[in-house]
Amino acid sequence: METPHASSGQVDPRSAESRRFVAGERVGILLPLPLTGVYDYRLPAGMDVEEGAFVRVPLGGRQATGVVWGKASGEVAEARLRDVVASLPAAPMTAVMRRFVDWVAAYTLYPAGAVLRMAMSVPEALLPSRPETVLAAAAAMPDLRPTAARARVMAVLADGPPRTAADLAREAGVSSAVVAGLMAAGALMPRTVLREATPELPDWSLSGPMLSPDQATAAAQLVAGVGKGFAVTVLDGVPGSGKTEVYFEAVAEVLRQGRQVLVMLPEIALSAQWLNRFRERFGAPPVEWHSELTGSRRRAAWRAISEGRAPVVVGARSALFLPFPDLGLIVVDEEHDAAFKQEDGVVYNGRDMAVVRARLGGIPAVLCSATPSLETSTNVAAGRYRCLHLPDRHGAAVLPSVELIDMRLHPAERGAWLSPPLREALAATLAAEEQVLLFLNRRGYAPLTLCRTCGHRMQCPRCTAWLVEHRLLGRLQCHHCGYAAPPPTACPSCAAENSLVACGPGVERLAEEIAALHPGIRFAVAASDTLRGPAAAADLIRRMEEHQLDLVIGTQVLAKGHHFPRLTLVGVVDADLGLSGGDLRAAERTYQLLYQVAGRAGRADRPGRVLMQTYMPEHPVMAALASGDRDRFIAAESKARQADGMPPFGRLVAIVVSAAGERAADDAARRLARVAPHADGVSVLGPAPAPLALLRGRHRRRLLLKAPRDVAVQPLVRRWLEAAGVGGNVHVHVDVDPYSFL
Ligand code: ADP
Ligand code: ZN
């Protein structure tokens, strides 16, 4: 998506607030179900409601909670009209949020009800609170045999407010018996609370660090924009240039004006360092919003936000749908990150929808990155977004030098993955008591298991994908569907015994090489499956910061945001990894990822070094990384996309049909192809089997609609899907502005 110009502007809160419906009137209720339009109901005697009110209505034989969306559709006969049951004691959904729901639905081509469901993600928060029992740590710890599980429970409590027994067990990763045991022993004290505690208030009046002249200029511009309506500002600065410090100034200004702020981060579970910095700057933590929050914390957060008691929320993309009554600023940090794209359910891009949300609310949006997406750079070039640059690292830190290691000239030893130059650099860094990051974006031990005798490859029975060996778990796993099985001792195809061999490296295999090379060094492996939950990630970061680790082997979970002063060497084991496959953004993404990884080196006073192992040193991505010439790379990439009419210069909509049977999938795909839209400059590619032709046992076929930028694709696609009439057991997945081409 480029920008939401298609929409008319901001919502006028006054006109929206005035609308009320009175007893006896018909109202249109939107339900959080995959339905397109409103359902009509009647307000019974004695019930007046505002637009946006949450209400209970009868639906078939049960009841559902919905939102008063506006005028009734008039499609239901008077005799069949049913009464609204109750109006709920929760703040009505704001006019901005209702417009936002409609906008997202229209843009993504998902039913408004499905989008509404995201805006009602905590249904129980709409009901009056019930008293609940929470547990706090006792003032004095009784004499109790310390166990790891008990310690984890106490650590969770030390870190936050009292919690229910269930939440406590879940967050600490212990059984409920452990919590019950601590309670019985008097280590945990029960307390009854009626309402969620109000979050601590961040203090905007605390002063931040002395800003450098560049930082101060950028901060002043952001601050000046607060309260002045919709505008998008890109904060483009090299890693470590102080982008976070700069936007914190804008956050402080919004708080001073008494409004709310949303900061969106791509990997919220791993943002321990961000949270610490926020707390240091503002003296209190923000409210967190992400998928790992437990039930009662979700409810508390939702209510605090809707009642305006949560001034700052930091969250993943789903935080966009939280009920802010008075949002004053949205910051999207690492705006280029593909994690902002939601691929399941309603398929949307959180960064783009943040801009829409800001526009509808008439507030500024700030997009931060060291490697802005091509979409964002193009918007800057076209003058739609303003750009502020932070060209230098803060203080004495300088950008690391990036050196390419041509693996054709410096091959690793047989069965090993580190080339001699990388091994030497690693040894020198460890000798200097500095830290090393080895980056390999591959979880597990080996990406492929192969039979030496017959060549059989171990494949997922439900997906078009090789099984990845996870040796620590003793399993072969599918990274697409979660299928897992112990590795067989005999080849399933030729029955040869002990003939299966691991091919290629994953982080676990690299760990073996490191342990053999440098016995006794302290290292850890950081991948999404080895760092379970925010606590484990925070712990790893702390061990890095305190120099309890000499080396860390990590996947992309370690690529961004973190700041380790002693880390001076980054080794990229396979820089070419992301370049294979036909993804539109393969080069752009590889550049962004490796640039971010490189940015982990030398962030304080010690200069950093980055070594990248590649078989393609002449590739434009590698050349750009080595020369540090980002702008030239972006210009070349941009020219290539423009020549092909690809995003952001053209529009794409992907349609994936899937069915349990191959025939059904093919038939549906062909039916879609037959009625494909004809319009100027619009073409439809496919159908073709998806690269993941089989996923979770369903056969998948892809079609791709390509259109010039000035074509409104949504009406075309809507009519297309209606004309094809594909349904029944065939699932149709619509993806406007696709990021995944699998
Ligand atoms: P970015 O977000 O651009 O990667 P950060 O805001 O994380 O940069 O800053 C990098 C490091 O430099 C952080 O530790 C931050 O606290 C520090 N820093 C940045 N600007 C200043 C400043 N003006 N004074 C003191 N420390 C700063
Ligand atoms: Zn699978």
Side-chain angles (χ1 to χ4, degrees):
M1 197 192 84
E2 292 79 38
T3 27
H5 330 276
S7 88
S8 50
Q10 156 191 10
V11 177
D12 180 353
R14 279 157 313 161
S15 67
E17 262 167 8
S18 57
R19 187 127 179 95
R20 278 193 80 81
F21 295 90
V22 296
E25 231 181 318
R26 266 182 192 239
V27 288
I29 307 289
L30 189 65
L31 294 164
L33 302 168
L35 307 166
T36 307
V38 296
Y39 275 30
D40 290 3
Y41 288 91
R42 182 176 36 223
L43 291 171
M47 192 188 292
D48 287 5
V49 293
E50 244 179 274
E51 229 172 354
F54 290 97
V55 291
R56 295 287 289 171
V57 295
L59 184 73
R62 58 195 180 94
Q63 284 189 3
T65 301
V67 179
V68 177
W69 214 248
K71 283 212 309 269
S73 68
E75 280 165 15
V76 182
E78 196 63 31
R80 290 191 38 231
L81 202 60
R82 301 172 77 181
D83 280 353
V84 171
V85 178
S87 154
L88 297 178
M93 183 174 281
T94 62
V96 172
M97 184 50 82
R98 282 179 278 129
R99 276 288 299 283
F100 184 54
V101 167
D102 281 335
W103 207 100
V104 173
Y107 189 84
T108 60
L109 293 162
Y110 282 80
V115 180
L116 177 66
R117 181 144 70 185
M118 301 195 291
M120 289 176 56
S121 58
V122 194
E124 61 278 16
L126 301 168
L127 305 170
S129 22
R130 274 170 301 181
E132 67 182 2
T133 303
V134 293
L135 300 170
M141 186 72 182
D143 220 11
L144 205 59
R145 187 173 56 84
T147 66
R150 285 173 177 162
R152 281 210 297 280
V153 173
M154 302 317 286
V156 165
L157 280 178
D159 221 33
R163 301 202 187 19
T164 62
D167 280 355
L168 199 51
R170 214 167 109 186
E171 274 180 64
V174 303
S175 69
S176 52
V178 173
V179 174
L182 282 167
M183 216 166 120
L188 298 177
M189 305 308 271
R191 223 195 272 165
T192 304
V193 290
L194 190 59
R195 203 174 84 146
E196 306 77 16
T198 281
E200 287 174 73
L201 294 187
D203 183 353
W204 56 265
S205 68
L206 295 175
S207 49
M210 262 293 279
L211 297 182
S212 71
D214 281 338
Q215 291 175 339
T217 309
Q221 301 217 46
L222 289 186
V223 167
V226 170
K228 304 277 163 46
F230 171 69
V232 183
T233 307
V234 178
L235 196 50
D236 175 359
V238 299
S241 57
K243 296 183 290 297
T244 316
E245 300 296 348
V246 168
Y247 74 67
F248 276 177
E249 295 300 309
V251 170
E253 175 61 18
V254 179
L255 296 180
R256 195 185 66 79
Q257 296 183 13
R259 305 183 72 186
Q260 293 172 296
V261 181
L262 168 61
V263 179
M264 290 167 58
L265 300 179
E267 313 248 317
I268 183 68
L270 294 168
S271 60
Q273 279 194 325
W274 192 97
L275 292 172
N276 287 340
R277 281 181 61 187
F278 185 91
R279 202 190 300 231
E280 273 167 32
R281 173 70 174 79
F282 294 106
V287 168
E288 291 174 58
W289 185 262
H290 51 82
S291 57
E292 301 199 27
L293 281 190
T294 51
S296 66
R297 286 184 71 195
R298 285 182 94 69
R299 183 182 194 283
W302 211 89
R303 282 200 80 98
I305 293 161
S306 75
E307 291 163 13
R309 291 182 286 114
V312 181
V313 177
V314 56
R317 55 180 187 245
S318 59
L320 265 180
F321 293 91
L322 287 169
F324 298 96
D326 193 18
L327 194 57
L329 172 70
I330 305 179
V331 177
V332 184
D333 206 343
E334 311 287 2
E335 67 85 28
H336 61 277
D337 201 298
F340 285 119
K341 185 74 196 280
Q342 170 152 311
E343 305 282 0
D344 305 320
V346 177
V347 179
Y348 69 95
N349 186 318
R351 182 222 26 236
D352 295 341
M353 294 307 129
V355 172
V356 173
R357 174 79 181 71
R359 185 184 178 95
L360 294 176
I363 59 170
V366 176
L367 310 181
C368 293
S369 178
T371 53
S373 61
L374 206 53
E375 281 77 3
T376 294
S377 309
T378 305
N379 279 326
V380 170
R384 287 186 288 266
Y385 295 176
R386 173 175 67 162
C387 189
L388 303 174
H389 290 278
L390 294 175
D392 303 311
R393 287 197 149 181
H394 174 70
V398 288
L399 281 173
S401 67
V402 175
E403 302 155 53
L404 303 177
I405 300 177
D406 186 338
M407 295 301 279
R408 295 166 306 190
L409 305 178
H410 305 283
E413 282 168 27
R414 235 181 104 77
W417 316 100
L418 302 180
S419 62
L422 182 49
R423 287 187 175 197
E424 278 160 33
L426 202 152
T429 309
L430 293 175
E433 300 199 350
E434 295 175 348
Q435 291 169 313
V436 181
L437 164 64
L438 285 182
F439 178 75
L440 177 62
N441 205 11
R442 235 186 211 152
R443 293 189 283 129
Y445 186 83
L448 172 65
T449 302
L450 179 87
C451 172
R452 236 183 337 222
T453 311
C454 73
H456 176 77
R457 295 162 174 223
M458 296 297 293
Q459 193 177 343
C460 176
R462 299 189 300 200
C463 304
T464 316
W466 310 131
L467 292 173
V468 178
E469 181 181 358
H470 286 252
R471 196 161 280 188
L472 294 175
L473 298 171
R475 283 172 174 274
L476 296 176
Q477 281 187 358
C478 172
H479 283 184
H480 296 284
C481 72
Y483 170 89
T489 54
C491 170
S493 176
C494 73
E497 287 285 334
N498 301 321
S499 176
L500 294 172
V501 287
C503 293
V507 285
E508 285 180 17
R509 196 169 196 180
L510 205 55
E512 258 179 24
E513 186 171 344
I514 289 298
L517 270 181
H518 294 280
I521 76 160
R522 305 163 302 169
F523 73 95
V525 172
S528 56
D529 55 339
T530 64
L531 286 184
R532 289 253 149 162
D539 188 54
L540 177 98
I541 288 162
R542 187 187 48 77
R543 280 156 69 210
M544 276 300 279
E545 285 171 346
E546 294 175 359
H547 200 196
Q548 294 176 27
L549 289 172
D550 302 306
L551 182 147
V552 59
I553 299 172
T555 63
Q556 62 186 10
V557 300
L558 267 197
K560 48 201 140 197
H562 304 298
H563 180 68
F564 303 121
R566 270 188 118 82
L567 178 64
T568 56
L569 176 67
V570 169
V572 176
V573 177
D574 184 354
D576 310 333
L577 193 56
L579 289 173
S580 54
D583 193 314
L584 164 71
R585 295 182 182 82
E588 182 189 358
R589 266 197 213 160
T590 301
Y591 179 82
Q592 288 163 342
L593 180 61
L594 296 184
Y595 185 87
Q596 292 282 340
V597 175
R600 298 314 109 208
R603 292 193 30 122
D605 51 350
R606 298 159 201 252
R609 226 183 135 191
V610 181
L611 299 183
M612 297 192 178
Q613 301 193 147
T614 174
Y615 285 91
M616 307 188 262
E618 65 293 330
H619 192 286
V621 169
M622 300 306 150
L625 287 164
S627 67
D629 196 346
R630 181 189 86 177
D631 294 343
R632 206 168 110 197
F633 170 72
I634 291 181
E637 183 67 18
S638 171
K639 212 165 131 197
R641 297 253 194 109
Q642 195 155 17
D644 294 344
M646 282 296 184
F649 304 97
R651 295 178 187 276
L652 293 179
V653 181
I655 311 264
V656 180
V657 294
S658 62
E662 212 167 341
R663 269 282 298 283
D666 278 327
D667 287 351
R670 275 198 294 265
R671 197 149 70 229
L672 273 161
R674 267 202 304 275
V675 295
H678 293 283
D680 248 2
V682 175
S683 54
V684 172
L685 313 173
L692 267 171
L694 191 66
L695 179 64
R696 295 186 180 87
R698 292 178 72 85
H699 296 271
R700 303 166 76 243
R701 302 291 180 265
R702 290 187 71 99
L703 296 111
L704 190 64
L705 179 138
K706 186 164 169 257
R709 223 188 96 103
D710 53 1
V711 170
V713 288
Q714 283 80 2
L716 278 181
V717 175
R718 191 176 301 114
R719 280 199 299 271
W720 178 20
L721 295 176
E722 278 165 15
V726 173
N729 294 327
V730 178
H731 180 250
V732 181
H733 176 89
V734 180
D735 186 352
V736 177
D737 308 326
Y739 271 60
S740 165
F741 295 85
L742 289 178

